[in-house]
């Protein structure tokens, strides 16, 4: 159960009218259970929207026993606002969905999110929204949940279409501004004159953010008369009034207060403040700060504490820190004024390089067999991050995933193209193992362009390989083919034998997916020969597995068994559990093809045990289908149906439409064997519908063949003939034993019809 509310604001003042208005929303929710409770708190920057939302949220927590979700949508941050699908992905994981089961498509994420919240009373805080369009996909469907949104925008769309209650915040009245100043300084200063407090409040434009910073400055100088501090701030205000003559009210007051507080910082803390303005993201952890500043973590923590005390930085849970977007912009501005261009470039390079090597440390634990090995072009800065186990490495990646994508983009845009493509390629193995399709596609595209600008051909090949693998997993097969062919051409030009073999293998996998079996087998044999020549034991075993899969598709099961047993021995010796499980899955298929069902059962049982031990639902969902086929061969259609349904449920959560379609088709075959022809027809129709629109003519042909068979068994001969004719037309494009066998069965069905 997530409890993600940030801490409430200390010395919260008044806002009684707004709190009363919000309170009626909770009361109304009980009397109108069909209406989705939604509050939007709007107002200018620094007016206290987040403080009000959090203060109220903490008071009403007991009404929402299902927990709280919080997301900063960064609608007005320097970098891009957070996309709704990214927030949905994070929320789903926070609600207990494993990362590998988060769907790819935004619509599927929305429906899963609403399903998970349907029976829960939850409080959802969406902070700093850009507009109504960013918020709508994040709204629950249950009236038992309350959503609170903050934004500088009026969010008129949510008010008009969703019936949201809008609470518009104004700057504090003079009395409340004085109360905040007096309350925040009471423990440190004597009885300041009300007139002085009023003048200080006016210089802060009565904006809560500026008032809190000013109060902290006053509290840190308890012996200095407030009038002297006011004179200092008045001078600063006069300066900013000249510099920003076209701005009115709040903006120049905020800048004046920022400058006033910033000048009072010790030199080391002031420099860290400037440096952090150059960080690619709005939020960061202690290790990244220490790496960026080039100091020990203990020293970085002391400087961060100074900035937090001055209200120039906000402390977040789990050792994280965050800028208010106005303060981040101010810090970046100070960096531009104080640090030379070469110094700023060096600071940014150090930060990006730190992320490069931290990501490398994470990939070496998360995906050791698929990692990209860095060269020494960008040496690691001290202090470096290290991981000794999977869990902390993955947690670091998950926490920093947004910053990592931003770092790739910033590196490409800031004159570090070589660093950009290396970071993107380092992340490839992590993305591949966790189906992070969104981030993978974004970083891979940036990497291709960056490698071209860097003039590094090997980088272009690596980036193209990454984009090709991303496209392959997302079923953009034409794009995948073009990427891998381009990468192969570059690697052959460079004389890169290992890279050439990797690209040839990728083209072989494409051949398998497109049912070009002889082409796939030839690619696997060519690639395997290169890896044997290079003495690469793991890649040689991988190519044996891929070759065995093409042999199974061709019906050459004895040859596949022989190759797979050799590959299994290598995977076990290397400790590569994922590849071992996949080889066992293929071995079950091959043994089933030779009618050795007992050996087949042992193989798939061992594969599923690996998926369970590794808690990998991607593997389990895929391998369950072979177990279902085996049970059908054993004449256990009820068991086969159960396994198909379990696989379909996993694939639906994963957003893998192609494998979900295969599972639905398998369930239809099991129902057919049980004589449940009506149910079989519906399942095969569902499989056909899923396959349409995907780049898989063979899979669609098989589903249509099975649909024709089920329709014929139900006596619907006209529809059976139509499905059979379409299937036969698709099968004519394939020249292999499997296609020929299905065509013969269709011919017999047509004759019966």
């Amino acid at each position: 159960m997530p409890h993600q509310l940030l801490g409430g604001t200390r010395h919260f003042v008044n806002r009684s009218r707004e709190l009363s208005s919000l309170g009626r929303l909770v009361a109304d929710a009980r009397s109108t259970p069909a209406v989705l409770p939604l509050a939007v708190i709007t107002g200018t920057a620094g007016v206290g929207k987040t403080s009000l939302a959090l203060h109220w949220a903490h008071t009403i927590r007991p009404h929402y026993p299902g927990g709280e979700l919080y997301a900063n949508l960064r609608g007005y941050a320097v970098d891009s606002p957070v996309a709704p699908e990214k927030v949905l992905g994070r929320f789903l994981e926070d609600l207990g969905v494993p990362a590998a089961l988060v769907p790819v498509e935004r619509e599927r994420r929305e429906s899963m999110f609403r399903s998970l919240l349907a029976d829960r009373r939850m409080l959802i805080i969406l902070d700093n929204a850009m507009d109504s369009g960013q918020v709508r996909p994040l709204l629950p469907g249950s009236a038992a949940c309350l959503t609170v949104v903050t934004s500088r925008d009026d969010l008129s769309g949510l008010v008009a279409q969703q019936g949201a209650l809008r609470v518009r915040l104004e700057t504090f009245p003079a009395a409340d501004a004085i109360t905040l100043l007096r309350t925040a300084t009471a423990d440190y200063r004597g009885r300041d004159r009300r007139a002085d407090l009023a003048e200080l409040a006016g210089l802060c434009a009565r904006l809560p953010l500026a008032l809190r910073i000013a109060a902290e400055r006053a509290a840190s100088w308890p012996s200095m008369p407030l009038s002297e501090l006011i004179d200092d701030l008045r001078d600063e205000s006069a300066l900013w009034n000249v510099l920003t003559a076209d701005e009115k009210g709040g903006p120049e007051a905020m800048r004046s207060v920022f400058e006033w507080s910033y000048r009072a910082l010790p030199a080391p803390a002031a420099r860290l403040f400037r440096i952090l303005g150059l960080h690619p993201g709005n939020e960061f952890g202690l290790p990244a700060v220490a790496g960026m500043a080039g100091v020990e973590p203990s020293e970085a923590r002391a400087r961060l504490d100074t900035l937090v005390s001055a209200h120039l930085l906000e402390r977040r849970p789990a050792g994280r820190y965050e800028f208010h977007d106005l303060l981040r912009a101010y810090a970046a501005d100070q960096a531009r004024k104080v640090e030379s261009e070469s110094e700023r470039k060096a600071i940014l390079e150090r930060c990006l390089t730190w992320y490069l090597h931290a990501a490398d440390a994470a990939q070496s634990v998360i995906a050791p067999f698929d990692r990209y090995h860095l060269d020494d072009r960008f040496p690691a800065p001290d202090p470096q991050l290290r991981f000794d186990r999977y869990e902390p490495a993955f947690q670091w990646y998950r926490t920093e995933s947004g910053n990592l994508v931003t770092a790739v983009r910033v590196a490409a845009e800031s004159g570090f193209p070589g660093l950009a493509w290396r970071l993107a390629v380092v992340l490839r193995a992590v993305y591949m193992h966790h189906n992070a399709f969104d981030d993978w596609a974004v970083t891979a595209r940036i990497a291709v362009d960056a490698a071209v600008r860097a003039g590094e051909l090997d980088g272009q090949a690596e980036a193209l390989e990454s984009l090709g693998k991303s496209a392959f997993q997302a079923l953009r097969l034409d794009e995948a083919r073009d990427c891998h062919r381009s990468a192969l051409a570059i690697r052959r030009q460079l004389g890169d034998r290992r890279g050439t073999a990797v690209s040839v293998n990728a083209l072989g996998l494409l051949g398998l997916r497109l049912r070009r079996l002889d082409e796939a087998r030839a690619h696997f044999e060519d690639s395997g020969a290169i890896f044997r020549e290079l003495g690469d034991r793991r890649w040689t075993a991988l190519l044996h597995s891929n070759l065995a899969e093409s042999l199974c598709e061709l019906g050459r099961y004895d040859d596949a068994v022989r190759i797979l047993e050799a590959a299994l021995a290598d995977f076990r010796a290397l400790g590569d559990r994922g590849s071992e499980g996949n080889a066992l899955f293929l071995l079950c298929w091959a043994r089933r093809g030779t009618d050795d069902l007992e050996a087949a059962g042992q193989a798939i049982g061992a594969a599923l045990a690996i998926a369970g031990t590794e808690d990998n639902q991607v593997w389990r969902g895929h391998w369950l289908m072979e177990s279902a086929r085996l049970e059908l061969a054993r004449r256990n259609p009820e068991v086969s149906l159960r396994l198909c349904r379990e696989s379909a449920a996993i694939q639906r959560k994963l957003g893998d439409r192609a494998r979900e379609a295969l599972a639905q088709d398998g369930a239809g075959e099991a129902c057919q064997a049980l004589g449940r022809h009506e149910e079989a027809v519906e399942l095969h129709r569902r499989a056909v519908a899923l396959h349409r629109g995907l780049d898989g003519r063979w899979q669609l042909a098989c589903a249509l063949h099975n649909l024709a068979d089920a329709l014929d068994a139900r006596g619907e001969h006209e529809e059976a003939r139509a499905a059979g004719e379409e299937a036969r037309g698709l099968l004519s494009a394939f020249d292999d034993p499997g296609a020929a066998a299905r065509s013969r069965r269709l011919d017999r069905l047509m004759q019966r019809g």
Side-chain angles (χ1 to χ4, degrees):
M1 183 182 297
H3 291 289
Q4 298 180 349
L5 284 187
L6 304 180
T9 302
R10 195 170 176 224
H11 307 311
F12 188 85
V13 172
N14 204 336
R15 299 298 192 192
S16 55
R17 181 177 60 82
E18 291 85 355
L19 288 168
S20 175
S21 180
L22 290 166
R24 287 196 297 273
L25 189 65
V26 178
D28 291 344
R30 297 195 191 105
S31 60
T32 54
V35 178
L36 181 69
L38 174 60
V40 297
I41 301 173
T42 67
T44 190
V47 79
K49 300 181 294 296
T50 300
S51 295
L52 175 61
L54 292 174
H55 177 81
W56 184 55
H58 279 283
T59 66
I60 61 172
R61 277 183 66 184
H63 296 285
Y64 297 94
E68 316 91 40
L69 293 168
Y70 171 89
N72 186 347
L73 303 184
R74 306 192 193 285
Y76 296 89
V78 176
D79 46 347
S80 301
V82 183
E85 54 267 28
K86 286 188 68 67
V87 180
L88 285 167
R90 203 202 78 196
F91 278 173
L92 290 174
E93 292 183 44
D94 293 338
L95 290 166
V97 179
L101 296 185
V102 173
V104 177
E105 300 163 346
R106 192 181 87 179
E107 292 76 11
R108 302 284 292 270
R109 292 184 183 186
E110 288 182 47
S111 61
M112 182 184 286
F113 178 61
R114 289 192 293 270
S115 297
L116 288 173
L117 265 58
D119 298 319
R120 302 176 73 155
R121 291 183 59 82
M122 292 201 74
L123 181 57
I124 302 156
I125 310 293
L126 303 174
D127 205 7
N128 296 319
M130 178 178 65
D131 53 31
S132 299
Q134 189 186 21
V135 171
R136 282 197 189 91
L138 307 176
L139 297 177
S142 169
C145 298
L146 170 64
T147 306
V148 183
V149 186
T150 73
S151 179
R152 297 181 203 173
D153 186 83
D154 276 348
L155 300 181
S156 300
L158 294 182
V159 175
Q161 297 174 28
Q162 273 72 36
L165 168 70
R166 179 162 56 206
V167 175
R168 185 178 283 109
L169 283 192
E170 305 294 344
T171 58
F172 271 148
D176 288 346
I178 292 170
T179 299
L180 175 55
L181 289 171
R182 195 181 292 284
T183 304
T185 60
D187 294 338
Y188 305 95
R189 300 183 61 85
R191 192 78 179 166
D192 290 315
R193 293 190 315 126
R194 183 178 179 84
D196 288 340
L197 291 170
E199 185 170 3
L200 180 56
L203 288 167
C204 294
R206 301 197 308 275
L207 286 162
L209 176 61
L211 288 165
R212 292 184 187 283
I213 294 172
E216 178 57 38
R217 176 78 191 280
S220 66
W221 293 86
S223 61
M224 182 178 291
L226 192 57
S227 58
E228 291 187 25
L229 290 170
I230 289 170
D231 288 340
D232 194 15
L233 179 53
R234 190 186 294 112
D235 291 343
E236 208 66 68
S237 297
L239 173 63
W240 277 110
N241 284 335
V242 171
L243 294 177
T244 58
D246 58 334
E247 297 179 358
K248 303 296 181 185
E252 68 268 19
M254 295 286 275
R255 299 282 291 192
S256 300
V257 174
F258 294 168
E259 182 77 9
W260 184 58
S261 185
Y262 165 73
R263 288 180 185 274
L265 292 172
R271 186 162 195 272
L272 182 62
F273 180 75
R274 296 194 299 272
I275 284 174
L276 291 176
L278 301 174
H279 187 278
N282 216 49
E283 181 258 4
F284 30 77
L286 175 62
V289 173
M292 186 176 186
V295 298
E296 290 299 317
S298 58
E299 189 174 346
R301 183 182 289 108
R303 297 180 190 181
L304 287 165
D305 288 344
T306 300
L307 297 177
V308 170
S309 297
H311 288 280
L312 296 175
L313 201 62
E314 297 174 62
R315 185 181 279 111
R316 295 295 182 229
R320 308 289 292 180
Y321 299 84
E322 186 172 21
F323 269 128
H324 188 287
D325 51 8
L326 293 179
L327 282 162
R328 184 191 177 195
Y330 174 74
D333 188 55
Q334 289 305 305
R336 284 190 292 271
K337 289 179 178 177
V338 177
E339 310 289 342
S340 68
E341 183 178 352
S342 61
E343 287 172 329
R344 294 198 307 273
K345 197 173 181 69
I347 292 166
L348 181 58
E349 181 177 14
R350 183 178 184 87
C351 175
L352 296 171
T353 302
W354 185 88
Y355 272 107
L356 172 67
H357 286 276
D360 180 48
Q363 71 149 350
S364 68
V365 176
I366 294 172
F369 292 105
D370 293 303
R371 65 179 297 197
Y372 170 75
H373 293 273
L374 280 176
D375 56 21
D376 57 1
R377 171 66 179 79
F378 295 94
D382 288 326
Q384 297 179 42
L385 203 58
R386 292 285 183 266
F387 302 101
D388 57 356
R389 291 180 297 111
Y390 174 92
E391 288 77 11
F394 179 69
Q395 185 56 46
W396 176 87
Y397 155 71
R398 187 181 173 214
T399 302
E400 293 283 4
S401 59
N403 281 338
L404 289 165
V405 175
T406 304
V408 172
R409 187 180 69 248
V410 168
E413 294 172 351
S414 303
F416 302 107
L419 212 159
W421 76 254
R422 284 174 173 84
L423 177 54
V425 170
V426 160
L427 291 167
R428 176 177 63 203
V430 182
Y431 292 153
M432 183 165 45
H433 280 257
H434 293 281
N435 282 3
F437 295 111
D438 301 337
D439 291 351
W440 193 358
V442 169
T443 55
R445 292 186 196 285
I446 293 172
V448 172
D449 292 338
V452 171
R453 280 188 279 114
E456 297 182 76
L457 284 175
D458 58 333
Q460 292 178 45
E462 291 289 348
L464 284 163
E465 179 191 327
S466 186
L467 183 57
K469 288 180 174 178
S470 166
F472 181 83
Q473 287 203 10
L475 297 179
R476 302 191 308 271
L477 300 186
D478 287 342
E479 182 183 2
R481 180 198 60 223
D482 293 344
C483 287
H484 288 308
R485 284 179 176 174
S486 297
L488 176 59
I490 292 172
R491 284 165 165 168
R492 282 176 169 161
Q493 176 186 342
L494 293 172
D496 177 3
R497 296 284 287 160
R498 188 179 188 282
T500 294
V502 170
S503 293
V504 171
N505 173 65
L507 291 171
L509 292 173
L510 268 169
L512 264 184
R513 182 71 182 79
L514 297 170
R515 191 74 183 181
R516 296 169 183 164
L517 301 180
D518 289 331
E519 177 184 316
R521 186 185 60 179
H523 281 315
F524 294 144
E525 288 173 345
D526 290 346
S527 180
I530 297 174
F531 280 120
R532 282 195 301 277
E533 174 191 321
L534 296 173
D536 191 318
R537 185 179 183 185
R538 178 178 179 268
W539 266 102
T540 299
L542 280 176
L543 266 300
H544 280 154
S545 288
N546 292 343
L547 179 59
E549 184 171 355
S550 64
L551 292 172
C552 284
E553 291 283 12
L554 289 164
R556 293 172 53 182
Y557 300 114
D558 289 322
D559 291 339
V561 167
R562 176 177 48 79
I563 292 174
L564 285 166
E565 287 178 340
L568 270 170
D570 287 333
F571 289 137
R572 285 168 176 155
L574 292 164
D576 186 347
R577 299 283 280 165
S579 297
E580 178 189 350
N582 195 58
L584 286 164
F585 152 77
L586 293 170
L587 183 60
C588 177
W589 182 0
R591 289 292 192 189
R592 179 168 56 85
T594 63
D595 292 324
D596 190 347
L597 302 188
E598 182 178 353
Q602 293 171 355
I604 199 62
L608 290 170
I610 290 173
T613 301
E614 300 295 322
D615 192 23
N616 192 308
Q617 292 297 304
V618 176
W619 298 347
R620 179 170 179 78
H622 183 38
W623 298 341
L624 274 173
M625 279 309 300
E626 178 53 35
S627 184
R629 296 184 192 103
L630 175 62
E631 292 303 328
L632 202 58
R634 286 171 164 171
R635 304 192 180 186
N636 295 325
E638 284 283 5
V639 179
S640 178
L641 179 59
R642 176 178 58 79
L643 294 172
C644 287
R645 284 175 171 164
E646 184 180 350
S647 176
I650 293 173
Q651 303 301 352
R652 193 176 305 116
K653 290 178 180 178
L654 285 168
D656 192 331
R657 294 180 64 198
R659 284 182 174 166
E660 182 188 349
L662 292 175
Q664 299 286 9
D665 209 29
E669 290 186 82
C671 285
Q672 187 81 344
L674 289 165
R676 290 153 58 175
H677 303 303
E678 186 171 346
E679 189 176 350
V681 166
E682 291 309 309
L683 286 164
H684 289 312
R685 279 179 173 156
R686 199 175 302 166
V688 168
L690 284 166
H691 279 307
R692 291 196 191 279
L694 298 177
D695 198 351
R697 292 164 57 88
W698 167 256
Q699 290 81 5
L700 176 59
C702 293
L704 284 164
H705 167 273
N706 293 337
L707 175 60
D709 201 28
L711 286 165
D712 183 65
R714 206 165 72 170
E716 299 179 36
H717 303 301
E718 287 288 335
E719 287 189 58
R721 176 178 291 278
E725 288 289 0
E726 185 180 358
R728 195 157 54 178
L730 290 169
L731 288 168
S732 65
F734 302 103
D735 183 18
D736 61 74
R742 285 186 177 271
S743 293
R744 286 193 296 271
R745 288 199 294 273
L746 281 169
D747 288 340
R748 289 195 293 272
L749 185 148
M750 297 305 204
Q751 289 167 6
R752 289 200 306 272

